[in-house]
Amino acid sequence: ILYRMHINLGDLYRYSCSTKLAEECYLKASKLAPATGNPFNQLAVISQSQESLTAVSLYYYARSLMATNEPFDKSRTNLFLLLGNNRKWLEEHVRDDDSHSRAIVAGNIEANSSIGKRSQREWIMK
């Protein structure tokens, strides 16, 4: 019951734009039921609303999907939306002289290939 209360209270805080309080509630819920995915999905939603926390969102969505007792299936959709938004951002912000990033966005080069590593070094040196 306490777990569910923290999830619901966190939702109410999130709806009222009190993200810090919502985050605290979801973290408490995750400690009460660490094998459930819902609190981690909610933490990802909060972090995704803050543009600089994309990697944190990715972590929480993955954590939500890997929950042992109750994975939160909605996290899969949310994760795809996050990755789609990242792809869109990359497409909009690729530098004209950055053939490596253009190739990755187009799906033509694996990020860990030797060509990719050379292009990454060239991009960093610019």
Side-chain angles (χ1 to χ4, degrees):
I1 294 176
L2 196 54
Y3 159 80
R4 196 81 226 141
M5 183 201 72
H6 282 296
I7 293 290
N8 292 334
L9 187 58
D11 289 343
L12 292 173
Y13 282 133
R14 185 168 51 93
Y15 300 147
S16 68
C17 299
S18 300
T19 56
K20 187 67 179 160
L21 293 171
E23 185 178 10
E24 290 174 13
C25 287
Y26 297 140
L27 286 170
K28 287 177 185 175
S30 72
K31 288 181 174 131
L32 290 169
T36 59
N38 191 359
F40 298 107
N41 179 75
Q42 301 309 87
L43 287 164
V45 169
I46 288 175
S47 61
Q48 190 172 355
S49 69
Q50 302 167 26
E51 286 190 26
S52 62
L53 298 178
T54 303
V56 175
S57 298
L58 178 62
Y59 166 78
Y60 281 132
Y61 283 135
R63 180 82 191 264
S64 175
L65 289 168
M66 294 187 314
T68 53
N69 286 350
E70 286 182 42
F72 196 71
D73 290 331
K74 179 74 173 144
S75 291
R76 184 176 321 282
T77 303
N78 292 341
L79 178 59
F80 285 130
L81 288 172
L82 174 71
L83 295 174
N85 289 338
N86 279 352
R87 176 178 285 279
K88 181 179 176 185
W89 187 92
L90 283 172
E91 290 169 349
E92 292 171 355
H93 292 88
V94 171
R95 296 183 339 197
D96 290 335
D97 62 342
D98 189 5
S99 60
H100 171 70
S101 292
R102 287 188 186 285
I104 288 177
V105 169
N108 296 334
I109 294 180
E110 293 291 322
N112 61 357
S113 70
S114 61
I115 294 170
K117 289 185 187 297
R118 185 180 71 237
S119 296
Q120 286 172 352
R121 284 192 298 274
E122 290 170 0
W123 185 85
I124 290 170
M125 300 307 271
K126 292 182 182 182

